[in-house]
Amino acid sequence: MITISKDNYQKILEHAQKNLPEEACGLIAGKIEGNDKHIEKIYLLTNIDHSNEHFSLDPKEHLAAIKDMRQNDLSPLGNWHSHPESPSRPSQEDKRLAFDSKASYLILSLMDRENPVLNSFHIEGDNATNEGLVIG
């Protein structure tokens, strides 16, 4: 299971809405306790692809986020991105680019603008499993 505070969920949502119609992206960091992950910090990064179907993290921002994690004794937990026009599930490209099987991949669907959906996935190869995200 993975948990995120309402405040951090709101940061992701606002960043994703601000970047429409493009995909928004970023990193997540926090603590790991057994099989549970607790997101404590959200990093809002630039999608340098400026696409509504693909994202690439800005390398300088990515490095700065990793340095911040180390300085704050946080573990890198994975990344997040939005799907402006598709459901909250990994696309074939998301699966193909999921190189770290220990990472969590959060996907925020804005397909229904009034009812955004955020899920977290564990991805290994072509298999994606919903991790059970708790917002609260």
Side-chain angles (χ1 to χ4, degrees), residues 6-135:
K6 288 180 182 174
D7 285 348
N8 279 332
Y9 166 73
Q10 199 62 37
K11 287 177 187 174
I12 289 174
L13 180 60
E14 288 172 6
H15 188 68
Q17 289 170 331
K18 187 177 84 173
N19 282 276
L20 286 170
E22 297 175 1
E23 285 192 3
C25 57
L27 297 174
I28 56 173
K31 302 289 183 190
I32 301 171
E33 295 174 0
N35 291 327
D36 295 334
K37 297 178 182 177
H38 306 284
I39 299 170
E40 295 183 10
K41 190 159 186 182
I42 299 294
Y43 296 88
L44 308 175
L45 278 60
T46 302
N47 176 1
I48 60 173
D49 291 342
H50 299 290
S51 168
N52 67 338
E53 296 179 345
H54 180 77
F55 76 97
S56 292
L57 303 171
D58 180 289
K60 290 179 184 174
E61 293 175 359
H62 191 167
L63 183 59
I66 298 298
K67 286 181 179 178
D68 184 79
M69 289 177 206
R70 288 183 184 145
Q71 289 172 347
N72 291 289
D73 197 29
L74 297 172
S75 297
L77 300 179
N79 68 49
W80 71 269
H81 73 280
S82 63
H83 281 181
E85 300 156 10
S86 59
S88 174
R89 64 174 177 252
S91 65
Q92 284 307 115
E93 183 168 322
D94 291 337
K95 292 176 187 176
R96 186 175 58 79
L97 296 174
F99 297 115
D100 185 354
S101 63
K102 293 180 182 155
S104 292
Y105 297 89
L106 272 66
I107 300 174
L108 175 68
S109 172
L110 297 172
M111 192 168 66
D112 177 351
R113 300 283 192 262
E114 300 304 312
N115 297 294
V117 177
L118 181 66
N119 286 303
S120 181
F121 298 91
H122 170 84
I123 302 174
E124 275 191 69
D126 204 37
N127 297 319
T129 308
N130 192 315
E131 291 186 304
L133 177 72
V134 175
I135 301 170

